[in-house]
Amino acid sequence: MTAAPQPQEPEQPHDLVGIGIGPFNLSLAALADGVHGGLTTAFYEQRPAFHWHPGLLIEGATLQVPFLADLVTLADPASPWSFLNYLRTRERLFPFYFAERFHIQRAEYDAYCRWVSDNLPGLHFGHQVDAVRWNAERQAFEVDFTQLDADGEAEALGRAYTRNVALGVGTAPYIPEPLKPLAEAPTVPVIHSSAYLDHRQRLLAAEHITVIGSGQSGAEVFLDLLRARPAGREKITWLARTEAFAPMEYSKLGLEHFTPDYSRYFHALPESVRDDLGPRQWQLHKGIDADTIAAIHDELYQRTLHGGWPDAVLTPGVSVRTAGRVGTTKVELHLEHLQQGTRSRLTTDAVILATGYRERPLGRLLAGLDPYIRRDAADRPRIDDQFRIVLDPAVTGSVYVQNAERHTHGVGAPDLGLAAWRSATILNSLTGMDPYPLPRRTAFTSFGLERRDAPRLPAQQPALTPLAQGH
């Protein structure tokens, strides 16, 4: 019988331990590497290597933000971890210059991030963080982790001490309740879009395919399937809850919702106002890129060239009430049209769920800190303007969050364009200095009225009686 792995001896406290290595904590690690005087850091990730949405790296799919929204540039353009320096080290700078691409392909962004993760010190892949606790005696956080072997099995236990923690555990694919039993069954493919490329050949082999979800992922999956199916025999249905297959807000002033100015404005709003505002801003981040919409329409239009219409159904305003299997090879979706108030059924051979993501729950990971965490009216952690979870004053260290603060900082929380700014804000807070000076103003829009004291009315003057009347 194999003996249980034994914990390693504790290390001296780090300045910062990061949990999770996605783009946001990778940005933090890259900028921390450039802090003058040095910071002692360690970042842990349970996966064996960096991968960014590998199931959605569809050929030709581009980022929805410019290449300047890399890990570091908007905080430190001279950083050696910039996208442009990545191109230089690959001797691709001139080809990129002539390509004139402001929005790079997702696969290229993934390759860039892997280059950073392969070369940046202090990153530990194959390490699963199990718990975080506060050690009052050492005035430091204890971070327990399990080191995994190549097969994902426990190889050794370890513990790190740190003065500060940065949570970057990312989001998890969201599967609506009516479809969870089907997604867990192996017979009929009911696949979340995050795993699309892993199942693409199986999906293409299905006679009829249904895509659910009106965002960018749903549009890209629908377009890829459409291009791969023969004209006149597409047999694809695209359903969405939203009232239209709507374009993402991409006007210049609209994009200013993804600036530090708006994040600060949103954070200062009352909690009830933030909660009401968030869902109404869906078109800022859940719409479809206009180029993708145009490509879909062009593809459909080309298929009418010789008469007839493509066998593709695109219906917005539809919700899936329930779902079930028909035999062992088909799925029946029970649909309701929200505006018409009508109901229908759709039988299909495969379903792709482009239903988005949800923040990963932090309860298990932070169970040891739960007594110290201050919460809002909805029982969510309160997060201050420096991206720190508000803790009991007895805890002298800080727990920073990345992409877990939409309820306090707004729609920009998951946006790659704010990654470097947030990382710089965290490092400025952590060090108590300004290793990365940040701009005081970033938007032309003033999102709120400037607060000023109410103007004082001049004291009433007594009425004066003229001494003499002029003639």
Side-chain angles (χ1 to χ4, degrees), residues 15-16 28 141 163-167 267 274 362 366 369 372-376 380-393 395-409 421-433:
D15 293 314
L16 173 67
L28 184 61
F141 295 100
R163 299 178 184 88
N164 302 282
V165 173
L167 297 173
H267 186 271
R274 295 197 305 256
L362 302 174
L366 298 184
L369 295 178
Y372 302 103
I373 296 175
R374 298 294 179 256
R375 299 181 179 274
D376 64 15
R380 299 165 299 198
R382 289 168 50 201
I383 299 169
D384 71 10
D385 60 354
Q386 304 297 302
F387 301 97
R388 297 173 296 195
I389 293 178
V390 179
L391 300 172
D392 187 280
V395 180
T396 58
S398 296
V399 177
Y400 297 92
V401 296
Q402 303 234 55
N403 194 15
E405 74 283 2
R406 186 179 293 184
H407 63 291
T408 57
H409 286 72
W421 170 75
R422 179 172 52 200
S423 295
T425 301
I426 290 172
L427 292 170
N428 290 350
S429 168
L430 185 151
T431 61
M433 301 181 291

Side-chain angles (χ1 to χ4, degrees), residues 74-150:
L74 291 176
D76 181 14
S79 170
W81 305 112
S82 71
F83 175 72
L84 289 179
N85 194 49
Y86 158 72
L87 293 176
R88 185 186 67 83
T89 63
R90 291 290 192 267
E91 298 188 356
R92 297 178 61 228
L93 200 51
F94 271 92
F96 179 75
Y97 166 59
F98 291 119
E100 297 184 348
R101 288 179 180 169
F102 201 51
H103 292 80
I104 63 174
Q105 293 193 8
R106 287 183 182 178
E108 187 163 26
Y109 178 80
D110 177 62
Y112 153 66
C113 287
R114 281 189 282 110
W115 169 77
V116 175
S117 69
D118 289 343
N119 292 280
L120 189 65
L123 306 184
H124 304 276
F125 290 92
H127 286 66
Q128 172 186 293
V129 173
D130 303 309
V132 180
R133 293 178 299 275
W134 176 247
N135 186 315
E137 182 178 344
R138 294 189 60 148
Q139 290 292 289
F141 295 100
E142 295 176 350
V143 179
D144 289 346
F145 59 83
T146 302
Q147 185 173 339
L148 308 175
D149 63 20

Side-chain angles (χ1 to χ4, degrees), residues 266-280 376-378 380 407-408:
F266 189 91
H267 186 271
L269 293 173
E271 179 185 331
S272 59
V273 177
R274 295 197 305 256
D275 288 347
D276 178 66
L277 185 57
R280 293 192 282 115
D376 64 15
R380 299 165 299 198
H407 63 291
T408 57

